[in-house]
């Protein structure tokens, strides 16, 4: 691995493939663009999909760069779907508005441009210079500083050559739409019967009368921010024993409280900055960073947090004012067992129900739960163990992994969901699931182990709350709450099953060389003063696929051995690299973390490759 950047005149350049997308262009006033139309501008392609929390993080990372270099840089989001629902054009239109994407977006439902650029992960950023050549590629998060440096270099280089063209970009904002709610996220019933809703895209909370329609008041200025009267894409809401509401202020990476009586808003957890690998995972709540908390629930005498950004569950204890990681390793996938060893994939919905905390584990299209350990699990729970999550285990009711999803009822072992975002405990002990990308409300019966469909034709339901004998569903993409009478019988639907459209990589049996490519940004280097600054973690699903080479290490290259007799599976690769400013006169150089998790579907084939190259930053030679 080489951490030096070549001089601009020697920078590797590859001619950029054309931009192709069957869904067409968004945010351009119905104008289509080719790379020739963008010649003279620095183009950054952001390969994203709207289900992916890491992609949403990158959208926020790019906002400052986009504003600062608006006259020289054109960011183009290439929407490359994982789930079937994400290939629907209207769903992409909704997502572009929901997440305030202020640049052109190419809707590529068939992954044509993804394949042309040999992309392997969401998110991936590709930089194209003003002459139409690819000059850099970055996978994952944490690359904003590197992009800023590269953009400055390209501006200077091409201004000198006369190949830089300044001016307004192709972005054309859509017409605003008037409605009381805009992409609401979660809801909770307040004492007295009113409903509080997180109006996520408008960065507010909205209190509605008991009818679920009449606006009583709006909480927050409506401007994105982290001040005493601002939120940033709030999501989860839960009542605390003292009557306040705890709010998952998602893009602020914080927990806030709202007092419905006084109207006071208070920050109780998080620093406003995103948690990165190596940062503290416990301590005083206002001193520990969080990462995209998506939902909250009061269970086992504390607030449990669906920490979607790092694939974990955390807890916040108001009595001690502390937070800590309670379940999950930060690896993305579906693994049950002791809470500390379990794997989640973007947990986004929580519901407390007596002995269980139910979880909508979105990226595995799974319904899961946490419960206290039994003696048969290897030990009973106690207070001290509970504080660290050691007294809990994680189990799965519905779902098998990252790449299987659909709409299929029946026995839970073969039932399928598609990216659920919400769960609600029902009076009979069963669980309602907001099956978001199937536009349905599903039910899991923990007694019979059966999954049924309660309602269809709901547009991206993201949460539901019981109100008397009714269930009120947050129809996020219809911008409203919908009241349903719980049906006595399930709705019949035609079963469908899907696997992700992403093509599997054909690899040869036996030895496989894994190379994670990382080139430190210009003016930076790998800082080894305090030990290794890189980390690599490798595993597989099923575990039997990987005969040798699994586990953690500090080298970004590794020799793997794939087992005989396992025809396909998924290689899970997690890489991190920390680079610091290379300035010998600076005693305290700024350091930056680059990280990405890959889930690479592989098929064993005699003609397949014996090398797997994954780009964290740089270009793969």
């Amino acid at each position: 691995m080489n951490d030096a950047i070549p001089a601009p005149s020697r920078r590797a350049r590859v001619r950029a493939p054309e931009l192709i997308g069957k869904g067409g262009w968004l945010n351009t006033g119905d104008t289509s663009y080719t790379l020739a139309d963008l010649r003279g501008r620095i183009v950054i392609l952001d390969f994203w999909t709207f289900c992916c929390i890491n992609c949403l993080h990158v959208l926020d990372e790019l906002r400052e760069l986009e504003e600062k270099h608006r006259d020289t840089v054109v960011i183009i989001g290439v929407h490359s779907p994982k789930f079937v629902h994400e290939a629907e054009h209207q769903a992409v239109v909704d997502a572009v508005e929901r997440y305030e994407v202020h640049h052109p977006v190419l809707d590529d439902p068939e992954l044509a441009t993804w394949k042309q650029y040999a992309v392997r992960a969401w998110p991936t950023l590709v930089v194209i210079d003003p002459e139409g050549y690819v000059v850099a590629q970055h996978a994952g998060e944490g690359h904003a500083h590197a992009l800023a440096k590269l953009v400055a270099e390209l501006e200077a280089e091409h201004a000198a050559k006369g190949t830089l063209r300044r001016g307004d970009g192709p972005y054309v904002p859509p017409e605003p739409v008037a409605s009381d709610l805009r992409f609401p996220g979660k809801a909770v019933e307040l004492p007295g019967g009113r409903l509080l809703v997180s109006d996520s895209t408008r960065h507010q909370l909205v209190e509605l009368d008991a009818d679920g329609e009449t606006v009583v008041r709006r909480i927050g200025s409506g401007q994105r921010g982290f001040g005493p009267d601002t939120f940033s894409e709030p999501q989860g809401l839960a009542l605390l024993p003292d009557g306040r509401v705890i709010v998952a202020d998602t893009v602020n990476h914080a927990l806030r409280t709202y007092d419905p009586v006084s109207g006071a808003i208070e920050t109780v957890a998080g620093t406003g900055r995103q948690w990165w690998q190596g940062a503290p995972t416990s301590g005083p709540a206002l001193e520990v960073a969080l990462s995209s908390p998506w939902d909250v629930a009061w269970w086992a005498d504390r607030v449990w947090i669906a920490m979607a950004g790092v694939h974990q569950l955390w807890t916040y204890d108001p009595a001690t004012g502390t937070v800590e990681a309670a379940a999950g390793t930060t690896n993305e996938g579906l693994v049950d067992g002791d809470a500390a060893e379990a794997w989640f994939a973007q947990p986004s919905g929580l519901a407390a129900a007596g002995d269980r905390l139910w979880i909508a584990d979105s990226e595995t299209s799974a319904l899961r739960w946490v419960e206290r350990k039994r003696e048969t699990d290897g030990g009973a729970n106690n207070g001290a163990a509970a504080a660290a999550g050691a007294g809990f285990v994680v189990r799965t009711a519905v779902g098998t992994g990252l790449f299987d999803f659909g709409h299929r009822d029946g026995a839970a072992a073969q039932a399928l969901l598609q990216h659920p975002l919400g769960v609600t405990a029902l009076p009979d002990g069963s669980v309602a699931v907001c099956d978001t990308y199937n536009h349905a409300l599903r039910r899991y019966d923990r007694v019979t182990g059966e999954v049924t469909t309660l309602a269809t034709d709901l547009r991206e339901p993201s949460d539901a709350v019981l109100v008397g004998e009714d269930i009120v569903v947050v129809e996020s993409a219809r911008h409203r709450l919908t009241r349903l009478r719980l049906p006595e019988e399930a709705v019949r639907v035609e079963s469908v099953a899907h696997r992700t459209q992403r093509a599997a990589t054909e690899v040869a049996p036996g030895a496989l060389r894994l190379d994670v490519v990382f080139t430190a940004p210009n003016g930076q280097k790998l800082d080894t003063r305090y030990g290794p600054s890189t980390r690599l973690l490798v595993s597989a699903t099923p575990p039997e696929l990987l005969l040798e080479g699994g586990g953690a290490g500090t080298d970004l290259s590794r020799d793997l051995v794939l087992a005989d007799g396992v025809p396909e599976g998924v290689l899970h690769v997690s890489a991190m690299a920390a680079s610091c400013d290379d300035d010998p006169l600076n005693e305290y150089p700024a350091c930056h973390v680059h990280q990405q998790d890959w889930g690479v579907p592989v098929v064993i084939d005699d003609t397949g490759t014996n090398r797997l190259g994954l780009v964290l930053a740089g270009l793969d030679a």
Side-chain angles (χ1 to χ4, degrees):
M1 180 176 57
N2 181 2
D3 62 355
I5 288 276
S9 61
R10 297 176 58 90
R11 185 182 292 116
R13 300 201 307 171
V14 177
R15 176 64 73 178
E18 192 51 82
L19 305 177
I20 305 168
K22 189 175 181 181
W25 290 81
L26 305 177
N27 284 353
T28 63
D30 296 325
T31 300
S32 297
Y33 285 90
T34 66
L35 285 177
D37 298 326
L38 302 171
R39 197 63 50 83
R41 311 299 288 273
I42 300 164
V43 177
I44 300 176
L45 303 181
D46 175 17
F47 289 87
W48 70 299
T49 188
F50 63 78
C51 74
C52 165
I53 190 66
N54 310 94
C55 299
L56 304 186
H57 290 166
V58 167
L59 284 176
D60 288 313
E61 288 180 0
L62 292 175
R63 293 186 197 278
E64 182 178 350
L65 177 74
E66 188 170 28
E67 181 61 33
K68 183 176 180 180
H69 298 275
R70 187 170 294 280
D71 66 333
T72 59
V73 173
V74 175
I75 296 175
I76 295 175
V78 182
H79 189 268
S80 312
K82 171 187 174 181
F83 290 99
V84 169
H85 170 60
E86 293 176 303
E88 297 176 15
H89 182 70
Q90 184 57 47
V92 181
V93 173
D94 289 343
V96 167
E97 180 188 351
R98 181 195 300 264
Y99 297 116
E100 297 184 299
V101 180
H102 293 166
H103 51 248
V105 172
L106 176 64
D107 182 11
D108 183 18
E110 297 177 346
L111 302 181
T113 297
W114 166 288
K115 294 170 185 174
Q116 286 282 82
Y117 281 82
V119 175
R120 292 185 180 274
W122 297 279
T124 291
L125 299 167
V126 175
V127 182
I128 301 171
D129 74 10
E131 294 178 286
Y133 290 90
V134 174
V135 293
Q137 181 173 328
H138 303 270
E141 306 175 47
H143 302 295
H145 65 286
L147 289 173
K149 284 181 172 291
L150 179 56
V151 164
E153 290 175 9
L154 290 172
E155 284 178 341
E157 179 182 343
H158 287 274
K161 291 173 64 176
T163 51
L164 183 69
R165 177 167 57 91
R166 295 179 180 271
D168 293 335
Y171 170 65
V172 177
E175 290 293 325
V177 180
S179 60
D180 288 334
L181 301 173
R182 204 68 191 162
F183 299 103
K186 306 286 186 180
V188 67
E189 186 181 20
L190 298 173
R194 287 177 174 172
L195 294 166
L196 187 68
V197 184
S198 55
D199 197 16
S200 303
T201 297
R202 292 213 175 107
H203 315 297
Q204 290 181 315
L205 309 181
V206 177
E207 187 175 328
L208 301 175
D209 211 340
D211 61 7
E213 297 180 3
T214 305
V215 175
V216 176
R217 69 179 63 123
R218 295 183 178 276
I219 299 96
S221 68
Q223 299 298 312
R224 182 191 295 271
F226 192 38
D229 192 34
T230 54
F231 298 95
S232 188
E233 298 181 31
Q235 286 284 342
L237 306 168
L239 277 175
L240 295 177
D242 63 9
R244 293 180 301 163
V245 177
I246 189 96
V247 182
D249 196 4
T250 304
V251 178
N252 276 328
H253 310 294
L255 299 186
R256 321 288 290 280
T257 56
Y258 165 64
D259 188 333
V261 177
S262 68
I265 298 170
E266 181 184 358
T267 302
V268 296
T271 63
R273 298 182 299 276
Q274 184 183 342
W275 184 92
W276 290 100
Q277 289 287 351
T281 57
S282 64
L286 292 172
E287 299 176 14
V288 177
L290 308 181
S291 182
S292 295
W294 205 274
D295 204 4
V296 282
W298 180 261
W299 186 69
D301 298 321
R302 65 200 61 203
V303 175
W304 286 68
I305 310 163
M307 200 74 79
V310 287
H311 317 299
Q312 289 182 306
L313 303 182
W314 286 39
T315 62
Y316 162 63
D317 186 350
T320 61
T322 58
V323 294
E324 60 187 331
T329 63
T330 75
N331 293 316
E332 185 178 11
L334 194 156
V335 176
D336 289 340
D338 285 351
E341 303 300 323
W343 290 23
F344 296 95
Q346 213 169 299
S348 301
L350 299 175
D355 61 339
R356 293 185 179 184
L357 177 69
W358 292 99
I359 307 154
D361 200 28
S362 303
E363 281 293 290
T364 54
S365 298
L367 172 64
R368 306 175 73 184
W369 79 87
V370 175
E371 66 182 7
R372 298 185 187 276
K373 272 190 174 182
R374 312 163 188 158
E375 290 186 8
T376 54
D377 294 321
N381 183 41
N382 59 64
F392 296 93
V393 292
V394 178
R395 306 187 193 279
T396 298
V398 182
T400 59
L402 286 166
F403 301 108
D404 293 292
F405 51 89
H407 191 152
R408 186 163 63 201
D409 288 335
Q414 56 86 52
L416 293 173
L417 309 171
Q418 187 180 179
H419 199 79
L421 287 177
V423 283
T424 306
L426 299 180
D428 63 357
S430 64
V431 184
V433 181
C434 287
D435 194 6
T436 308
Y437 288 3
N438 280 327
H439 310 298
L441 187 68
R442 313 285 293 282
R443 175 178 178 265
Y444 168 71
D445 188 328
R446 59 182 288 188
V447 176
T448 65
E450 293 287 311
V451 175
T452 53
T453 299
L454 297 176
T456 58
D457 193 30
L458 299 167
R459 188 68 184 173
E460 292 192 17
S462 56
D463 196 22
V465 58
L466 283 174
V467 178
E469 296 182 356
D470 296 338
I471 188 165
V472 176
V473 180
V474 180
E475 277 197 272
S476 188
R478 281 202 178 109
H479 320 293
R480 70 186 189 192
L481 304 188
T482 298
R483 186 180 296 265
L484 303 173
R485 180 57 55 91
L486 285 173
E488 296 181 2
E489 296 183 2
V491 177
R492 291 183 178 273
V493 298
E494 183 178 351
S495 296
V496 291
H498 303 288
R499 282 184 67 83
T500 178
Q501 294 186 58
R502 181 182 172 190
T505 300
E506 294 183 352
V507 296
L512 177 67
R513 177 69 173 181
L514 171 65
D515 290 319
V516 174
V517 178
F518 177 74
T519 305
N522 195 16
Q524 297 182 25
K525 66 177 182 179
L526 292 175
D527 188 352
T528 58
R529 291 177 298 171
Y530 308 107
S533 57
T534 57
R535 187 192 72 156
L536 181 65
L537 180 66
V538 181
S539 62
T541 302
E544 297 77 23
L545 172 66
L546 194 56
L547 192 63
E548 296 179 16
T554 57
D555 195 336
L556 292 182
S557 294
R558 190 178 300 181
D559 292 316
L560 312 180
V561 177
L562 305 181
D564 294 332
V566 183
E568 63 179 0
V570 179
L571 288 175
H572 302 281
V573 181
S574 177
M576 184 274 289
S579 60
C580 297
D581 293 343
D582 187 10
D583 181 358
L585 300 180
N586 186 352
E587 185 178 357
Y588 303 104
C591 295
H592 310 274
V593 176
H594 317 252
Q595 64 182 44
Q596 171 65 3
D597 297 331
W598 291 267
V600 183
V602 296
V603 173
I604 310 303
D605 189 285
D606 289 338
T607 62
T609 183
N610 57 14
R611 177 185 178 271
L612 179 61
L614 302 175
V615 176
L616 179 59
L619 293 174
D620 187 5

